[in-house]
Amino acid sequence: MKRIATTLLLSVCISGGMQAQSLKQLGTSVDDIVPQGWSHYEVTGDLNKDGQPDLAVMATPNFKERIVTRDDGYERNCNQPVFAVYFATADGKLKQWKQYGEVLPADDIDNEFCSWNVNLDITERGVLNIAVQPECSAGSYFTHIDRYSYRFQNGDFHLIGMENEDIQRNTGNVTVNSENYLTWKRQVKKSNFSEDTPPTEKWTRLTKKPLEKLGARKLGEE
């Protein structure tokens, strides 16, 4: 019984250590906000239209339990990335609006040949664009890029557009499905990157529904 209790206590301590660190609620810069040793990728722009530069950041923990080393020595960080948005304050600091624990995909610890590539962008109009794409070094004829556009309105970030691009490397076929939730229209565009034939496109109308909030889905799982 004593050994079992000790093992349980050790497990709780390890689990607690993995969750002990988090992004700061308030800071002066991204380096101040993100715990030391975490990798991070960030963009700035005016998201809430107050004339000040806000921050969108993806930070990946460095918990060693989720870092694996391949036979060639390359280290893969399979920790779950954390995504967060910070609004600039009047005194020049950054205050966390919201932290999203699992909105971005994490690399599969059992798949050493594939990883996720994430790209962030904030437009001049304050639209937050997030693109996710799986990248495989071997064994894949297909790839896809999923792009999401969010706008801060009515007190939250809402999905105003989404685009899915499917690419077949073996045939050259490319299909882009774009949905606009402001006009409620869908465009399906088909082309082939190995042929000179012009692309085709088809437009349809979407059924109106309440706009989806950021965090309602894990991106890249469509």
Side-chain angles (χ1 to χ4, degrees):
M1 289 293 292
K2 184 176 180 180
R3 178 174 295 181
I4 294 175
T6 302
T7 302
L8 289 174
L9 179 61
L10 180 60
S11 298
V12 170
C13 290
I14 292 174
S15 176
M18 290 184 66
Q19 302 299 327
Q21 288 181 301
S22 184
L23 303 184
K24 285 185 180 180
Q25 293 288 321
L26 187 68
T28 57
S29 67
V30 66
D31 292 325
D32 182 30
I33 290 167
V34 177
Q36 186 175 5
W38 289 25
S39 61
H40 56 86
Y41 165 46
E42 66 280 342
V43 291
T44 58
D46 188 4
L47 292 168
N48 57 357
K49 298 179 175 63
D50 65 352
Q52 299 187 79
D54 305 308
L55 173 74
V57 57
M58 177 184 75
T60 306
N62 59 346
F63 303 130
K64 61 182 180 180
E65 292 84 357
R66 299 289 298 177
I67 296 179
V68 294
T69 304
R70 294 192 317 207
D71 293 338
D72 61 2
Y74 176 75
E75 284 191 347
R76 297 174 55 244
N77 188 342
C78 300
N79 280 281
Q80 172 63 55
V82 175
F83 180 73
V85 173
Y86 288 78
F87 289 145
T89 63
D91 58 356
K93 294 183 179 180
L94 295 166
K95 184 177 182 181
Q96 188 180 111
W97 154 253
K98 193 174 290 186
Q99 179 173 302
Y100 305 86
E102 296 186 0
V103 70
L104 297 177
D107 288 356
D108 185 353
I109 200 169
D110 296 318
N111 188 345
E112 62 178 302
F113 299 107
C114 294
S115 61
W116 286 96
N117 181 47
V118 177
N119 184 67
L120 307 175
D121 174 66
I122 299 176
T123 70
E124 292 184 357
R125 294 189 175 185
V127 175
L128 171 63
N129 293 318
I130 306 175
V132 296
Q133 178 184 13
E135 294 185 340
C136 297
S137 58
S140 175
Y141 286 111
F142 306 92
T143 188
H144 65 90
I145 307 172
D146 297 326
R147 303 179 179 94
Y148 309 83
S149 296
Y150 293 91
R151 187 169 68 186
F152 189 74
Q153 57 187 39
N154 301 322
D156 211 333
F157 285 93
H158 294 85
L159 183 67
I160 61 171
M162 183 170 65
E163 181 177 277
N164 310 110
E165 182 175 0
D166 292 315
I167 304 168
Q168 299 181 12
R169 296 191 180 101
N170 55 338
T171 64
N173 291 330
V174 180
T175 301
V176 181
N177 180 14
S178 301
E179 296 183 349
N180 187 318
Y181 304 129
L182 299 179
T183 62
W184 296 102
K185 292 181 180 180
R186 175 193 289 125
Q187 179 198 46
V188 178
K189 188 175 181 179
K190 295 186 177 183
S191 61
N192 190 293
F193 61 74
S194 61
E195 299 177 359
D196 293 330
T197 55
T200 62
E201 61 179 52
K202 180 180 180 181
W203 289 87
T204 56
R205 288 194 173 274
L206 297 168
T207 302
K208 292 185 178 181
K209 59 183 179 180
L211 295 179
E212 180 182 300
K213 293 182 181 181
L214 176 60
R217 70 171 75 195
K218 191 163 188 174
L219 305 186
E221 290 193 345
E222 285 69 26

